[in-house]
Amino acid sequence: MSAQAVLTVAAVLFSLGLYCVITRRNAVSILMGVELMLNAANINLVAFSNLSLGGQGPKVEGHMFVVFVVLLAAAEAAVALAIILSIFRRMGTVEADRMTSLKE
Amino acid sequence: MAEAVVFYIIAAFTIGTACVTAFSGNIIRSAFSLLGTLVGVAAMFGMMGADFLAVIQVMIYVGGVMVLILFAVMLTHRIKDVNVSNRSLPAFPGAAVAVLVLGVLLYGIWYGLPGDTARVEAKMTPLIGKALVGSHVLPFLASGLVLLIALIGSVVIARREETFVCGPGEAKR
Amino acid sequence: MNEPLTVNYVWLIPFLPLCGAFVNGTVGWWLQKRFGRRPNGAIANAAVWGAFLISVQLFLTLRGLPPEQRALVNHLYSWIPVGQLDVALSFTVDPLSAVMILVVTGVGGLIHLYSIGYMAHDKSVWRYFAYLNLFTFAMLVLVLADNLLLMFVGWEGVGLCSYLLIGFWYQDVEKAKAGMKAFIVNRVGDFAFLAGMLLILWGAAGYWDDAGRYTMTGGTLSVDFRWLASATTYLQGKEVLGVSLITLACILFFIGATGKSAQLPLYVWLPDAMAGPTPVSALIHAATMVTAGVYMVARLNFLFALSPAALTVVSGVGAATALFAATIGFAQRDIKKVLAYSTVSQLGFMFIGVGVGAFTAGIFHLMTHAFFKACLFLCAGSVIHAMSGEQDALKMGGLAKKMPFTFWTFLVSTLAIAGIPGLAGFFSKDEILWKAFDTANPVVAWWPYLVWGMGATAALGTAFYMFRLVYLTFAGECRADEETKHHIHESPWTMTLPLVALASLAAVAGWLGPPGVFNLPNTFEHWLEPVFGGAARHITSRESGHGAEWGLMGLSVALAVAGILAARAVYAKNGAEAARRLSGRFPLIHQFVFNKYYVDEIYAALVVRPFMGLTRVLGWIDAHIVDGIVNLVGKVTAVFAMIDGWIDLYIVDGMVNLTAWIVIAVGRKAKTVQTGRLQDYLYVMAGGAVLMLVVSYMVERVFGGGR
């Protein structure tokens, strides 16, 4: 299992997440795309952390980052979904391109 | 050899479910296949020697975030139209940008990196534990605070305003 | 260089006021509602006096050490560890910061005590004490900071608290505006400070090799002041755009100081800052915060001493400010405005001191000024309190009998500021003037005479306008109406006690640093010797001799007495009438001075209005010209496409149409960049990221191949 294979998987996941975020209208779907991208980033963090570049051996920093990213992703998901719920109550829709009342 | 085989199976599973998440027209199907992707990522963490991360991935993402997303899907869609309602924008420009990004990333990965193994034999869990109460204790405490604020904030945001009475499923002011 | 000793409780000094601010800021409103106003004041006072006790303890520790070891460091943790850079959150107590923390916590504590009485009728006392404690915290961080970055944190913190406290009564729009003015004017100075800081770190942290490439010096860069002092040899000879790097950085630092310490041309905010409660004016806008600039220049003495040009600028601006502000003081009627211009003027004196390399004298004047000016402001507060909020000196008079404590303390402080021998102001001001006269200036030979002349004239003016104020306020008949007259009373003990304490300090503190010709031990100079000893080597005396020093001293005493006598002759009997008569006789000059030489109006015309105008013009350009051009380009291209289409009907028809179509499509797209649609932003972001990577790769391939 080479580092490049792992990173490739992460890159594919990231692109899929990006595609999902770009093409979806539904806010919940967009959030799912964001989660995909975050997961891809996490894989990258672990992989690079494990890479023994410069002969220094594995570092714990990358793993720590993942811990915090997961924590913050949970917080972000909770707040985002609360907002989505609130918007749905007010406007009756969760489609991102219809939420334009801030535009004017 | 066996390890490589297992890895490719996991990778295929992860990417396959992620494809379903990204391309499916049915939002319920999207959500459930995201579940698969998250489990796949957890398995990859496990394969890379990051046991602790695999566990928290399952606990927080699969146990927490996914349930939240499913609730959101169900609360914001009426049950009768569960099969439709995942309209998309035109796929072409999105696909173009995504493929472009993928190309750049893959180029960087395959031509910019030394081929090295991503697996680590060291026991990471005790190191993480020490770091959490040692060098990283301040961010650790701060993230606790962030979680608390997010919790209270989301309760406040999602709270139903008492002034107007809404029946279930009614979304008009 | 000795490794400084480590002490692990210095952090308590700023931490206690922070705790006080936190308690008052979070549960203070509840305490006030539940138990009345007492607990708020008690908490704030306890915090500051606790900090004072620790400061005294540290001072005694420091005194017990041999002079060359007098520096205590408290390293808390690495704040910004980035690569080789390691900025620490650490506090230093050396003789200079020991003086500053004693002044800040001591004078600050007295003012906190005074505030209990002064703010006894305000409805949000908790907010006031929270801000006041927060200010004390920020000021202590500023003076205790071990490096420029941490100092900047305190620097910004005091600016913020100053803004909050000036606009404390924010319901009054004028006062809220005064707060904003102070904040914005300070921001100009802060920007220069930041630029100077970055410049000096950039210069000190690396070097340029022959090929012109910048390389960091090896090892860890802890950018504290000791490191900076040792890096100066390394900075010398470096140039930026043909100017010596040290000079440029020093001048930038000094611009920062002019903002915070209200020097020309950025002094305009200080008189307006008098909108805040009077104890705030005493603490922030007289005793502590405005001296931050002087402190900063003194702290960076090792840099300024290396740049005669920067020192010349500092002393020149200081002297000009001292004289300029003193003349404005002649015509002001508002008791607090007079004191405000007096503060600006005295700060000018301090800058003369540090500007001629006499850092000890500058800091000495900073300390004595903190005592007598805080006392003057608190007396003014006491007067205003008694006069039911009246601030116009022409409507006062005859208060000496009714408010004996206030009168006598005010008189002592006024004598001190005027420079009467034996009181604090005499020693420090005379020291500054003597050094200004005696220190050689390698850039401009006649500079000492100019600076001394302006300083001496300003001292004469100081004596005059301060005694004008005394006569108008305390002498003669009371000119208030019956209603107010009835209310006049001496203030409660929480207010008079600080007055007496500060007045006593103002009377005796001068003996810490008597002039050289007195042959007395100069405790203050010896105390600061370890800090300024290095810089003193770069300053050369002109060896004017004892005779000259005695002569100049006699002259400045004569000037002070002359100023007092002149004020007595004009204002002693029926002062208000005299003031009106004078302004009637010279209406033009009076108007000119009374309106502060119209500097505010000039700024409004030169800076504020053009800026507003510019925004409007840009808005118009955006709406008419840019849009017009876009539309025009689209139309012209379309027209060309049509013409070309007719001409080259068969050959380039398709191509031209395509071009036109692309231009129109791009125009349409570009017009709708701000769609509010998430996805559009994402396209741009992802596309941009890819583009950047590709371009940087190309650049590397094309231009980097040669290496």
Side-chain angles (χ1 to χ4, degrees):
Chain A
M1 180 180 69
S2 69
Q4 280 149 345
V6 176
L7 293 176
T8 307
V9 173
V12 173
L13 276 188
F14 185 86
S15 309
L16 286 171
L18 184 63
Y19 173 80
C20 188
V21 172
I22 289 182
T23 54
R24 290 305 162 91
R25 291 170 181 229
N26 189 319
V28 182
S29 293
I30 291 175
L31 195 69
M32 287 197 251
V34 172
E35 298 292 346
L36 275 182
M37 286 156 78
L38 277 175
N39 269 289
N42 280 350
I43 293 178
N44 268 17
L45 285 170
V46 174
F48 280 119
S49 178
N50 286 352
L51 270 184
S52 47
L53 291 171
Q56 290 182 330
K59 292 238 175 190
V60 78
E61 267 74 14
H63 293 242
M64 295 305 303
F65 275 132
V66 175
V67 171
F68 291 124
V69 169
V70 171
L71 272 172
L72 291 181
E76 168 240 326
V79 174
L81 294 173
I83 292 172
I84 290 173
L85 210 59
S86 176
I87 287 175
F88 179 68
R89 286 222 194 90
R90 265 171 205 281
M91 306 189 174
T93 181
V94 288
E95 301 197 344
D97 54 345
R98 288 204 199 150
M99 300 169 197
T100 52
S101 49
L102 266 183
K103 196 172 156 189
E104 273 88 39
Chain B
M1 189 60 213
E3 190 190 288
V5 171
V6 173
F7 172 74
Y8 285 119
I9 291 172
I10 291 174
F13 174 71
T14 311
I15 292 176
T17 48
C19 285
V20 177
T21 309
F23 299 125
S24 166
N26 181 332
I27 191 162
I28 298 283
R29 193 172 294 153
S30 273
F32 275 102
S33 51
L34 180 63
L35 188 68
T37 311
L38 296 175
V39 172
V41 171
M44 286 183 63
F45 282 160
M47 288 211 66
M48 286 191 282
D51 308 335
F52 181 70
L53 297 184
V55 172
I56 64 165
Q57 169 88 6
V58 171
M59 278 171 61
I60 297 181
Y61 263 117
V62 182
V65 175
M66 268 320 295
V67 172
L68 271 178
I69 289 180
L70 286 174
F71 263 108
V73 171
M74 289 172 192
L75 285 174
T76 55
H77 293 79
R78 275 150 247 176
I79 299 299
K80 62 176 164 48
D81 53 27
V82 89
N83 285 321
V84 277
S85 168
N86 199 5
R87 294 192 304 129
S88 296
L89 295 167
F92 169 69
V97 167
V99 167
L100 219 59
V101 170
L102 182 66
V104 170
L105 286 178
L106 288 182
Y107 181 86
I109 290 165
W110 286 97
Y111 294 96
L113 275 181
D116 204 339
T117 175
R119 181 166 172 74
V120 63
E121 300 299 336
K123 295 222 174 350
M124 297 308 286
T125 314
L127 290 179
I128 292 176
K130 280 190 192 112
L132 274 182
V133 292
S135 55
H136 289 68
V137 67
L138 196 64
F140 183 54
L141 295 178
S143 59
L145 192 65
V146 168
L147 281 179
L148 178 69
I149 293 168
L151 199 69
I152 296 173
S154 46
V155 167
V156 170
I157 294 169
R159 190 187 52 181
R160 205 175 275 264
E161 277 110 300
E162 276 105 25
T163 43
F164 19 83
V165 182
C166 290
E170 272 177 1
K172 296 285 176 293
R173 277 187 212 214
Chain C
M1 194 173 63
N2 286 308
E3 210 33 52
L5 293 177
T6 301
V7 174
N8 56 9
Y9 56 88
V10 179
W11 62 276
L12 277 172
I13 299 178
F15 182 70
L16 281 176
L18 182 65
C19 278
F22 184 74
V23 171
N24 261 331
T26 48
V27 297
W29 62 274
W30 179 79
L31 286 173
Q32 189 181 339
K33 204 173 71 181
R34 180 79 179 71
F35 301 107
R37 296 185 175 88
R38 273 168 192 278
N40 301 117
I43 291 167
N45 273 282
V48 177
W49 287 110
F52 178 68
L53 288 181
I54 301 170
S55 307
V56 171
Q57 157 69 19
L58 278 168
F59 172 73
L60 294 176
T61 314
L62 214 55
R63 227 185 53 173
L65 293 170
E68 63 276 10
Q69 282 183 10
R70 280 180 185 160
L72 307 172
V73 171
N74 184 4
H75 183 277
L76 293 180
Y77 65 91
S78 287
W79 177 30
I80 310 178
V82 182
Q84 292 173 16
L85 187 71
D86 185 13
V87 183
L89 187 63
S90 75
F91 297 123
T92 305
V93 182
D94 63 355
L96 177 58
S97 51
V99 170
M100 290 301 289
I101 54 176
L102 284 178
V103 169
V104 171
T105 55
V107 176
L110 288 172
I111 292 169
H112 274 72
L113 187 62
Y114 178 94
S115 298
I116 296 180
Y118 191 81
M119 299 300 281
H121 309 302
D122 200 86
K123 62 181 189 303
S124 47
V125 172
W126 61 275
R127 196 159 56 86
Y128 174 81
F129 276 113
Y131 290 166
L132 212 56
N133 264 355
L134 191 64
F135 166 78
T136 313
F137 160 73
M139 189 69 202
L140 287 168
V141 169
L142 197 165
V143 296
L144 285 171
D146 197 19
N147 52 56
L148 277 170
L149 271 88
L150 190 58
M151 191 181 190
F152 190 67
V153 172
W155 185 271
E156 291 293 322
V158 291
L160 170 71
C161 295
S162 161
Y163 158 75
L164 289 172
L165 281 165
I166 294 169
F168 180 71
W169 289 307
Y170 57 86
Q171 291 90 343
D172 184 338
V173 178
E174 280 304 312
K175 292 178 174 170
K177 272 185 187 166
M180 272 185 256
K181 182 172 176 186
F183 203 65
I184 292 167
V185 174
N186 262 306
R187 192 58 56 255
V188 178
D190 293 349
F191 174 72
F193 183 4
L194 197 61
M197 182 163 80
L198 295 177
L199 186 66
I200 210 82
L201 291 184
W202 180 59
Y207 58 90
W208 295 270
D209 59 13
D210 295 335
R213 226 183 302 167
Y214 185 79
T215 318
M216 298 267 283
T217 34
T220 310
L221 302 174
S222 64
V223 293
D224 58 26
F225 291 119
R226 282 177 304 283
W227 176 82
L228 213 55
S230 64
T232 45
T233 46
Y234 195 65
L235 282 168
Q236 274 173 307
K238 280 189 184 169
E239 288 194 344
V240 177
L241 306 173
V243 186
S244 149
L245 189 144
I246 292 185
T247 300
L248 195 61
C250 283
I251 286 176
L252 283 170
F253 279 128
F254 178 63
I255 295 173
T258 57
K260 197 60 88 195
S261 290
Q263 296 295 293
L264 284 173
L266 295 179
Y267 74 94
V268 286
W269 65 272
L270 187 60
D272 285 23
M274 296 302 131
T278 309
V280 169
S281 310
L283 178 60
I284 300 183
H285 306 119
T288 55
M289 183 190 90
V290 289
T291 60
V294 183
Y295 170 77
M296 189 251 282
V297 175
R299 175 52 82 197
L300 296 173
N301 60 75
F302 48 84
L303 281 180
F304 278 87
L306 291 175
S307 171
L311 281 183
T312 307
V313 171
V314 173
S315 57
V317 170
T321 310
L323 187 57
F324 179 77
T327 56
I328 298 182
F330 289 164
Q332 296 302 310
R333 299 170 56 165
D334 184 328
I335 179 166
K336 284 180 77 179
K337 284 268 165 74
V338 176
L339 292 177
Y341 281 106
S342 157
T343 305
V344 175
S345 171
Q346 297 299 311
L347 287 165
F349 273 106
M350 293 176 213
F351 275 109
I352 297 177
V354 295
V356 298
F359 298 104
T360 314
I363 294 295
F364 189 37
H365 195 55
L366 187 161
M367 187 181 80
T368 57
H369 175 258
F371 297 147
F372 57 66
K373 186 52 65 63
C375 184
L376 287 171
F377 263 114
L378 294 185
C379 288
S382 177
V383 167
I384 295 165
H385 199 64
M387 297 288 292
S388 316
E390 181 58 61
Q391 299 195 3
D392 189 343
L394 293 191
K395 294 189 181 149
M396 297 175 182
L399 296 179
K401 284 186 219 79
K402 287 175 179 144
M403 308 177 70
F405 277 111
T406 310
F407 169 63
W408 284 108
T409 47
F410 196 91
L411 188 64
V412 169
S413 307
T414 311
L415 287 170
I417 198 176
I420 295 301
L423 300 170
F426 165 72
F427 293 103
S428 51
K429 193 190 284 181
D430 200 63
E431 182 77 5
I432 286 174
L433 287 177
W434 161 242
K435 293 279 188 191
F437 185 80
D438 186 52
T439 308
N441 187 319
V443 184
V444 192
W446 42 266
W447 199 250
Y449 300 104
L450 178 72
V451 170
W452 181 85
M454 287 165 91
T457 318
L460 171 70
T462 306
F464 180 76
Y465 69 73
M466 283 312 295
F467 268 86
R468 169 179 178 269
L469 190 62
V470 169
Y471 283 120
L472 283 179
T473 313
F474 292 103
E477 288 300 307
C478 187
R479 293 177 293 274
D481 51 43
E482 287 304 315
E483 172 77 25
T484 319
K485 219 184 265 182
H486 187 65
H487 280 296
I488 296 174
H489 57 281
E490 184 57 279
S491 306
W493 71 270
T494 51
M495 287 167 74
T496 49
L497 183 68
L499 292 183
V500 175
L502 284 170
S504 333
L505 282 170
V508 300
W511 294 99
L512 285 173
V517 288
F518 279 22
N519 275 328
L520 290 172
N522 193 333
T523 327
F524 202 77
E525 195 169 336
H526 282 299
W527 176 248
L528 290 176
E529 170 73 33
V531 185
F532 298 133
R537 282 199 306 272
H538 300 280
I539 310 295
T540 42
S541 164
R542 298 196 303 148
E543 306 294 347
S544 311
H546 282 337
E549 188 166 359
W550 280 113
L552 289 180
M553 195 186 297
L555 191 56
S556 61
V557 172
L559 283 174
V561 173
I564 293 171
L565 289 180
R568 184 187 156 83
V570 181
Y571 295 105
K573 285 191 204 114
N574 209 351
E577 191 51 45
R580 270 187 215 106
R581 213 170 49 233
L582 268 183
S583 60
R585 195 173 302 164
F586 308 106
L588 271 178
I589 298 176
H590 178 263
Q591 275 302 311
F592 196 49
V593 178
F594 182 72
N595 290 316
K596 309 143 204 164
Y597 300 110
Y598 296 100
V599 171
D600 275 328
E601 285 75 7
I602 293 170
Y603 277 2
L606 285 186
V607 183
V608 180
R609 229 164 280 150
F611 186 74
M612 296 305 220
L614 187 66
T615 56
R616 237 169 276 136
V617 169
L618 286 179
W620 187 87
I621 288 177
D622 199 39
H624 292 87
I625 297 182
V626 176
D627 286 5
I629 289 174
V630 170
N631 289 340
L632 193 69
V633 169
K635 267 182 204 142
V636 166
T637 318
V639 169
F640 269 115
M642 251 184 277
I643 296 167
D644 275 0
W646 274 320
I647 295 171
D648 305 290
L649 196 55
Y650 300 105
I651 308 165
V652 281
D653 185 11
M655 233 165 73
V656 171
N657 273 336
L658 188 69
T659 316
W661 180 80
I662 286 174
V663 170
I664 292 171
V666 167
R668 197 171 289 149
K669 275 279 171 209
K671 205 170 71 182
T672 58
V673 164
Q674 299 289 334
T675 51
R677 246 177 35 176
L678 203 59
Q679 282 83 1
D680 294 336
Y681 297 139
L682 259 178
Y683 283 135
V684 177
M685 206 172 85
V690 169
L691 201 69
M692 265 164 60
L693 283 171
V694 169
V695 166
S696 74
Y697 174 75
M698 293 298 221
V699 168
E700 184 70 29
R701 277 299 280 272
V702 174
F703 297 103
R707 287 209 190 120

